[in-house]
Amino acid sequence: MTTATATRAAWLDDPWVRFGLRRGGRLLVSLWVLITAAFLMIHLIPGDPVRAALGPTAPAALVAARRESLGLNDPLLVQYLHYLRGVFTGDLGTSMKSQLPVSEVIGQRLPATLELAVLSFAVALLLAIPIGAAMGVLTRGGRRRGAELTFSSTSVVLGAIPEFLLGVAFVWLFAVQLGWFPVAGRSGPSSYVLPVLALAIGPAAALARIMRVEMLTVLQADHVRTARAKRLPAARVYLRHALPGALTAAITLGGLLLSALVAGTVLVENVFAWPGLGGTIVSSILDKDYPVVQGIVLVYGAGVLVVNLLVDVTLALLDPRSVIRES
Protein backbone atom coordinates (compact mmCIF):
# COMPACT_ATOMS: atom_id res chain seq x y z
CA MET A 1 0.00 0.00 0.00
CA THR A 2 1.42 3.37 -1.03
CA THR A 3 1.72 6.31 1.32
CA ALA A 4 -1.02 8.20 -0.54
CA THR A 5 -3.39 5.22 -0.34
CA ALA A 6 -2.67 4.75 3.35
CA THR A 7 -3.27 8.43 4.01
CA ARG A 8 -6.57 8.31 2.13
CA ALA A 9 -7.67 5.19 4.01
CA ALA A 10 -6.79 6.77 7.35
CA TRP A 11 -8.64 9.91 6.37
CA LEU A 12 -11.76 7.94 5.45
CA ASP A 13 -11.54 5.98 8.70
CA ASP A 14 -12.06 9.17 10.69
CA PRO A 15 -15.68 9.10 11.97
CA TRP A 16 -15.99 12.87 11.64
CA VAL A 17 -14.97 12.69 7.97
CA ARG A 18 -17.51 9.94 7.32
CA PHE A 19 -20.10 11.97 9.21
CA GLY A 20 -19.42 15.02 7.01
CA LEU A 21 -19.49 12.98 3.79
CA ARG A 22 -22.70 11.23 4.78
CA ARG A 23 -24.51 14.41 5.83
CA GLY A 24 -23.21 16.36 2.84
CA GLY A 25 -24.31 13.64 0.43
CA ARG A 26 -27.73 13.49 2.03
CA LEU A 27 -28.06 17.27 1.75
CA LEU A 28 -27.12 17.27 -1.94
CA VAL A 29 -29.60 14.51 -2.77
CA SER A 30 -32.36 16.29 -0.85
CA LEU A 31 -31.60 19.56 -2.64
CA TRP A 32 -31.74 17.81 -6.01
CA VAL A 33 -35.14 16.29 -5.15
CA LEU A 34 -36.41 19.69 -3.97
CA ILE A 35 -35.23 21.51 -7.11
CA THR A 36 -36.69 18.83 -9.37
CA ALA A 37 -40.04 18.94 -7.57
CA ALA A 38 -40.14 22.75 -7.85
CA PHE A 39 -39.34 22.52 -11.57
CA LEU A 40 -42.06 19.94 -12.23
CA MET A 41 -44.62 22.01 -10.33
CA ILE A 42 -45.42 24.21 -13.30
CA HIS A 43 -45.61 21.20 -15.65
CA LEU A 44 -48.01 19.23 -13.47
CA ILE A 45 -50.64 21.97 -13.52
CA PRO A 46 -53.58 20.89 -15.70
CA GLY A 47 -53.87 22.92 -18.88
CA ASP A 48 -51.67 25.81 -19.92
CA PRO A 49 -50.14 27.54 -16.88
CA VAL A 50 -49.51 30.73 -18.87
CA ARG A 51 -53.13 30.89 -20.03
CA ALA A 52 -54.24 30.24 -16.43
CA ALA A 53 -52.02 33.08 -15.20
CA LEU A 54 -53.01 35.60 -17.87
CA GLY A 55 -56.70 34.72 -17.87
CA PRO A 56 -59.08 33.40 -20.51
CA THR A 57 -59.41 36.79 -22.24
CA ALA A 58 -55.69 37.29 -22.86
CA PRO A 59 -54.80 37.48 -26.59
CA ALA A 60 -53.28 34.33 -28.05
CA ALA A 61 -50.27 36.31 -29.24
CA LEU A 62 -49.54 37.47 -25.68
CA VAL A 63 -49.86 33.91 -24.35
CA ALA A 64 -47.51 32.61 -27.04
CA ALA A 65 -44.97 35.37 -26.37
CA ARG A 66 -45.06 34.72 -22.64
CA ARG A 67 -44.60 30.98 -23.16
CA GLU A 68 -41.60 31.70 -25.36
CA SER A 69 -40.07 34.09 -22.81
CA LEU A 70 -40.45 31.46 -20.09
CA GLY A 71 -38.89 28.79 -22.30
CA LEU A 72 -41.96 26.55 -22.06
CA ASN A 73 -41.76 25.72 -25.77
CA ASP A 74 -38.36 24.04 -25.36
CA PRO A 75 -38.03 20.28 -24.77
CA LEU A 76 -38.52 19.30 -21.14
CA LEU A 77 -34.89 18.26 -20.64
CA VAL A 78 -33.66 21.60 -22.03
CA GLN A 79 -36.03 23.45 -19.69
CA TYR A 80 -34.76 21.40 -16.75
CA LEU A 81 -31.11 22.14 -17.55
CA HIS A 82 -31.90 25.85 -17.92
CA TYR A 83 -33.75 25.79 -14.61
CA LEU A 84 -30.84 24.10 -12.84
CA ARG A 85 -28.43 26.66 -14.24
CA GLY A 86 -30.74 29.48 -13.14
CA VAL A 87 -31.04 28.11 -9.60
CA PHE A 88 -27.28 27.83 -9.15
CA THR A 89 -26.69 31.31 -10.62
CA GLY A 90 -29.49 32.98 -8.63
CA ASP A 91 -31.80 33.47 -11.62
CA LEU A 92 -35.18 32.11 -10.52
CA GLY A 93 -37.11 33.65 -13.37
CA THR A 94 -39.44 36.63 -13.65
CA SER A 95 -42.74 37.26 -11.90
CA MET A 96 -45.69 37.04 -14.27
CA LYS A 97 -47.54 39.72 -12.35
CA SER A 98 -44.95 42.35 -11.40
CA GLN A 99 -42.37 41.52 -14.10
CA LEU A 100 -39.71 41.75 -11.37
CA PRO A 101 -37.02 39.08 -10.99
CA VAL A 102 -38.19 36.40 -8.58
CA SER A 103 -34.94 36.68 -6.64
CA GLU A 104 -35.69 40.36 -6.06
CA VAL A 105 -39.23 39.62 -4.86
CA ILE A 106 -37.88 37.01 -2.43
CA GLY A 107 -35.07 39.29 -1.30
CA GLN A 108 -37.60 41.98 -0.37
CA ARG A 109 -39.83 39.62 1.63
CA LEU A 110 -37.45 37.08 3.14
CA PRO A 111 -36.05 39.27 5.98
CA ALA A 112 -39.51 39.80 7.49
CA THR A 113 -40.21 36.05 7.48
CA LEU A 114 -36.82 35.22 8.98
CA GLU A 115 -37.33 37.78 11.74
CA LEU A 116 -40.69 36.26 12.63
CA ALA A 117 -39.44 32.66 12.56
CA VAL A 118 -36.21 33.29 14.50
CA LEU A 119 -37.90 35.42 17.16
CA SER A 120 -40.67 32.85 17.58
CA PHE A 121 -38.11 30.06 17.90
CA ALA A 122 -36.16 32.01 20.52
CA VAL A 123 -39.32 32.73 22.52
CA ALA A 124 -40.37 29.06 22.32
CA LEU A 125 -37.00 27.96 23.70
CA LEU A 126 -37.00 30.60 26.42
CA LEU A 127 -40.42 29.45 27.56
CA ALA A 128 -40.11 25.70 27.07
CA ILE A 129 -36.69 24.85 28.49
CA PRO A 130 -37.05 26.44 31.95
CA ILE A 131 -40.71 25.48 32.31
CA GLY A 132 -40.14 21.87 31.21
CA ALA A 133 -37.01 21.49 33.34
CA ALA A 134 -38.72 23.01 36.38
CA MET A 135 -41.73 20.72 35.99
CA GLY A 136 -39.40 17.73 35.71
CA VAL A 137 -37.73 18.68 38.98
CA LEU A 138 -41.01 19.44 40.77
CA THR A 139 -42.83 16.28 39.67
CA ARG A 140 -39.97 13.74 39.92
CA GLY A 141 -40.77 10.53 41.72
CA GLY A 142 -44.54 10.99 41.33
CA ARG A 143 -44.65 14.18 43.40
CA ARG A 144 -47.22 16.95 42.93
CA ARG A 145 -49.67 14.97 40.84
CA GLY A 146 -51.99 17.96 40.57
CA ALA A 147 -49.27 20.16 39.08
CA GLU A 148 -48.29 17.38 36.67
CA LEU A 149 -51.89 16.91 35.50
CA THR A 150 -52.41 20.66 35.07
CA PHE A 151 -49.17 21.05 33.12
CA SER A 152 -49.83 18.05 30.86
CA SER A 153 -53.43 19.07 30.10
CA THR A 154 -52.54 22.71 29.43
CA SER A 155 -49.57 21.87 27.21
CA VAL A 156 -51.58 19.37 25.17
CA VAL A 157 -54.38 21.86 24.58
CA LEU A 158 -52.01 24.71 23.65
CA GLY A 159 -50.01 22.44 21.36
CA ALA A 160 -53.15 21.33 19.52
CA ILE A 161 -54.43 24.81 18.65
CA PRO A 162 -53.31 25.89 15.15
CA GLU A 163 -51.13 29.00 15.00
CA PHE A 164 -53.54 30.97 12.84
CA LEU A 165 -56.42 30.38 15.29
CA LEU A 166 -54.26 31.68 18.12
CA GLY A 167 -53.43 34.65 15.92
CA VAL A 168 -57.09 35.42 15.27
CA ALA A 169 -57.88 35.11 19.00
CA PHE A 170 -54.97 37.39 19.92
CA VAL A 171 -56.05 40.01 17.37
CA TRP A 172 -59.62 40.00 18.69
CA LEU A 173 -58.62 40.19 22.37
CA PHE A 174 -55.40 42.19 22.57
CA ALA A 175 -55.72 44.38 19.47
CA VAL A 176 -59.45 44.94 18.89
CA GLN A 177 -60.90 44.67 22.40
CA LEU A 178 -58.01 45.95 24.55
CA GLY A 179 -56.11 47.97 21.97
CA TRP A 180 -52.73 47.02 23.42
CA PHE A 181 -51.10 46.06 20.12
CA PRO A 182 -51.52 46.89 16.42
CA VAL A 183 -54.12 44.86 14.56
CA ALA A 184 -51.80 44.09 11.64
CA GLY A 185 -48.69 45.15 9.79
CA ARG A 186 -45.01 45.48 10.66
CA SER A 187 -44.83 48.94 12.12
CA GLY A 188 -42.59 48.69 15.18
CA PRO A 189 -41.57 46.51 18.14
CA SER A 190 -45.14 46.20 19.41
CA SER A 191 -46.29 44.76 16.08
CA TYR A 192 -44.05 41.73 16.62
CA VAL A 193 -45.62 40.63 19.90
CA LEU A 194 -48.85 39.00 18.71
CA PRO A 195 -47.53 37.13 15.64
CA VAL A 196 -44.47 35.91 17.56
CA LEU A 197 -46.64 34.62 20.42
CA ALA A 198 -49.08 33.00 17.98
CA LEU A 199 -46.19 31.10 16.39
CA ALA A 200 -44.29 30.31 19.59
CA ILE A 201 -46.93 29.07 22.04
CA GLY A 202 -47.75 25.75 20.34
CA PRO A 203 -44.10 24.70 19.79
CA ALA A 204 -43.21 25.86 23.30
CA ALA A 205 -45.92 23.63 24.78
CA ALA A 206 -44.73 20.59 22.81
CA LEU A 207 -41.08 21.24 23.63
CA ALA A 208 -41.85 21.76 27.34
CA ARG A 209 -43.48 18.32 27.52
CA ILE A 210 -40.43 16.69 25.92
CA MET A 211 -38.11 18.67 28.19
CA ARG A 212 -39.96 17.49 31.29
CA VAL A 213 -39.79 13.83 30.23
CA GLU A 214 -36.08 14.09 29.44
CA MET A 215 -35.43 15.85 32.75
CA LEU A 216 -37.19 13.07 34.64
CA THR A 217 -35.04 10.49 32.84
CA VAL A 218 -31.78 12.33 33.48
CA LEU A 219 -32.58 12.81 37.16
CA GLN A 220 -32.51 9.02 37.52
CA ALA A 221 -29.09 8.71 35.85
CA ASP A 222 -26.09 7.50 37.84
CA HIS A 223 -24.05 10.67 37.44
CA VAL A 224 -26.89 12.77 38.87
CA ARG A 225 -27.29 10.39 41.80
CA THR A 226 -23.54 10.61 42.40
CA ALA A 227 -23.71 14.40 42.40
CA ARG A 228 -26.49 14.27 44.98
CA ALA A 229 -24.53 11.82 47.08
CA LYS A 230 -21.69 14.34 47.19
CA ARG A 231 -24.20 16.78 48.71
CA LEU A 232 -23.64 19.35 45.97
CA PRO A 233 -26.00 22.35 45.98
CA ALA A 234 -29.32 21.55 44.32
CA ALA A 235 -28.92 24.34 41.76
CA ARG A 236 -25.54 22.93 40.69
CA VAL A 237 -26.94 19.40 40.40
CA TYR A 238 -29.81 20.52 38.22
CA LEU A 239 -28.01 23.08 36.05
CA ARG A 240 -24.61 21.45 35.57
CA HIS A 241 -25.34 17.74 35.79
CA ALA A 242 -28.98 17.21 34.77
CA LEU A 243 -29.87 20.03 32.35
CA PRO A 244 -27.15 19.38 29.70
CA GLY A 245 -28.25 15.76 29.34
CA ALA A 246 -31.89 16.76 28.94
CA LEU A 247 -31.08 19.35 26.28
CA THR A 248 -30.06 16.79 23.64
CA ALA A 249 -33.61 15.70 22.86
CA ALA A 250 -34.80 19.29 23.21
CA ILE A 251 -32.34 20.43 20.54
CA THR A 252 -33.45 17.65 18.20
CA LEU A 253 -37.11 18.58 18.60
CA GLY A 254 -36.21 22.27 18.54
CA GLY A 255 -34.74 21.87 15.06
CA LEU A 256 -37.91 20.20 13.84
CA LEU A 257 -39.96 22.96 15.46
CA LEU A 258 -37.89 25.63 13.71
CA SER A 259 -38.57 23.94 10.40
CA ALA A 260 -42.27 23.88 11.23
CA LEU A 261 -42.15 27.52 12.32
CA VAL A 262 -40.82 28.56 8.92
CA ALA A 263 -43.76 26.82 7.26
CA GLY A 264 -46.18 28.04 9.94
CA THR A 265 -45.41 31.65 9.08
CA VAL A 266 -47.50 31.27 5.90
CA LEU A 267 -50.87 31.39 7.67
CA VAL A 268 -49.82 33.66 10.53
CA GLU A 269 -48.41 36.24 8.13
CA ASN A 270 -51.76 36.35 6.35
CA VAL A 271 -53.63 36.82 9.65
CA PHE A 272 -51.43 39.77 10.62
CA ALA A 273 -50.84 41.15 7.08
CA TRP A 274 -47.13 40.58 7.66
CA PRO A 275 -45.00 41.59 4.65
CA GLY A 276 -43.12 38.29 4.36
CA LEU A 277 -42.92 35.27 2.11
CA GLY A 278 -46.06 33.71 3.61
CA GLY A 279 -48.36 36.42 2.34
CA THR A 280 -46.46 36.54 -0.96
CA ILE A 281 -46.83 32.84 -1.70
CA VAL A 282 -50.56 32.92 -0.97
CA SER A 283 -51.13 35.93 -3.24
CA SER A 284 -48.91 34.35 -5.92
CA ILE A 285 -50.96 31.14 -5.82
CA LEU A 286 -54.17 33.14 -6.18
CA ASP A 287 -52.65 35.17 -9.04
CA LYS A 288 -51.20 31.98 -10.59
CA ASP A 289 -47.76 33.59 -10.56
CA TYR A 290 -45.97 30.26 -10.81
CA PRO A 291 -42.34 31.45 -11.05
CA VAL A 292 -42.72 33.23 -7.69
CA VAL A 293 -44.39 30.17 -6.16
CA GLN A 294 -41.53 27.99 -7.42
CA GLY A 295 -38.92 30.33 -5.96
CA ILE A 296 -40.57 30.57 -2.54
CA VAL A 297 -41.04 26.78 -2.38
CA LEU A 298 -37.30 26.44 -3.03
CA VAL A 299 -36.49 28.91 -0.25
CA TYR A 300 -38.77 27.20 2.29
CA GLY A 301 -37.49 23.74 1.37
CA ALA A 302 -33.84 24.78 1.46
CA GLY A 303 -34.41 26.44 4.83
CA VAL A 304 -35.81 23.22 6.29
CA LEU A 305 -32.86 21.20 4.94
CA VAL A 306 -30.31 23.65 6.33
CA VAL A 307 -31.99 23.64 9.75
CA ASN A 308 -31.93 19.83 9.82
CA LEU A 309 -28.24 19.86 8.92
CA LEU A 310 -27.46 22.35 11.68
CA VAL A 311 -29.33 20.20 14.18
CA ASP A 312 -27.31 17.12 13.15
CA VAL A 313 -24.03 19.02 13.49
CA THR A 314 -25.03 20.48 16.87
CA LEU A 315 -25.98 17.07 18.23
CA ALA A 316 -22.73 15.60 16.94
CA LEU A 317 -20.75 18.30 18.74
CA LEU A 318 -22.70 17.84 21.96
CA ASP A 319 -22.44 14.04 21.86
CA PRO A 320 -19.48 12.95 19.69
CA ARG A 321 -20.04 9.33 20.70
CA SER A 322 -23.21 9.29 18.61
CA VAL A 323 -21.14 10.15 15.54
CA ILE A 324 -18.73 7.29 16.28
CA ARG A 325 -21.57 4.84 16.87
CA GLU A 326 -23.35 5.87 13.66
CA SER A 327 -20.13 5.65 11.70
Side-chain angles (χ1 to χ4, degrees):
M1 181 182 294
T2 65
T3 303
T5 304
T7 302
R8 189 181 306 112
W11 183 72
L12 291 176
D13 283 339
D14 190 312
W16 285 104
V17 172
R18 293 205 301 272
F19 171 80
L21 292 175
R22 187 169 56 253
R23 290 297 187 270
R26 187 183 302 174
L27 177 63
L28 290 178
V29 172
S30 300
L31 284 174
W32 173 74
V33 172
L34 172 64
I35 293 171
T36 303
F39 166 76
L40 292 175
M41 180 189 303
I42 196 171
H43 297 278
L44 296 176
I45 298 171
D48 186 347
V50 177
R51 168 62 70 183
L54 296 179
T57 61
L62 177 60
V63 174
R66 186 60 58 85
R67 286 186 60 85
E68 184 66 29
S69 66
L70 292 174
L72 294 178
N73 295 328
D74 297 332
L76 187 63
L77 180 59
V78 174
Q79 294 183 47
Y80 183 59
L81 293 177
H82 287 167
Y83 186 75
L84 285 177
R85 183 178 62 185
V87 169
F88 287 108
T89 58
D91 181 11
L92 300 178
T94 304
S95 168
M96 291 183 179
K97 180 179 180 182
S98 64
Q99 297 301 306
L100 293 173
V102 173
S103 57
E104 182 178 334
V105 175
I106 293 175
Q108 293 172 352
R109 302 286 184 167
L110 181 59
T113 295
L114 286 178
E115 285 181 358
L116 201 56
V118 171
L119 286 174
S120 301
F121 180 63
V123 170
L125 289 181
L126 290 174
L127 291 175
I129 291 177
I131 292 175
M135 290 304 303
V137 172
L138 292 174
T139 60
R140 69 186 187 279
R143 304 174 185 177
R144 299 178 177 87
R145 301 294 297 178
E148 178 185 351
L149 179 61
T150 301
F151 169 78
S152 300
S153 303
T154 303
S155 60
V156 168
V157 171
L158 290 178
I161 301 176
E163 294 92 342
F164 72 93
L165 284 182
L166 281 176
V168 172
F170 288 165
V171 168
W172 177 81
L173 178 60
F174 297 110
V176 176
Q177 297 297 322
L178 300 176
W180 292 353
F181 302 101
V183 173
R186 181 174 171 237
S187 55
S190 61
S191 65
Y192 286 78
V193 175
L194 296 184
V196 166
L197 287 179
L199 277 171
I201 285 179
L207 185 56
R209 291 201 307 274
I210 298 297
M211 190 66 192
R212 172 185 171 272
V213 172
E214 290 299 313
M215 197 69 176
L216 289 174
T217 302
V218 173
L219 288 174
Q220 300 300 317
D222 292 338
H223 69 281
V224 176
R225 291 179 178 177
T226 302
R228 283 180 179 165
K230 292 180 179 179
R231 297 187 179 277
L232 296 177
R236 185 175 179 182
V237 172
Y238 297 139
L239 295 178
R240 294 194 56 182
H241 296 274
L243 185 59
L247 283 177
T248 303
I251 291 174
T252 304
L253 180 60
L256 299 176
L257 291 176
L258 180 56
S259 302
L261 279 174
V262 174
T265 57
V266 174
L267 295 177
V268 172
E269 284 183 8
N270 282 275
V271 170
F272 291 95
W274 196 261
L277 290 180
T280 304
I281 193 172
V282 171
S283 61
S284 298
I285 291 172
L286 295 176
D287 295 334
K288 299 179 175 60
D289 196 346
Y290 300 115
V292 175
V293 176
Q294 283 179 306
I296 296 178
V297 167
L298 278 178
V299 170
Y300 275 125
V304 171
L305 293 177
V306 170
V307 168
N308 290 337
L309 177 64
L310 292 176
V311 170
D312 286 343
V313 172
T314 303
L315 290 176
L317 293 174
L318 289 175
D319 187 8
R321 292 172 299 175
S322 64
V323 177
I324 297 175
R325 287 196 301 268
E326 187 177 352
S327 298

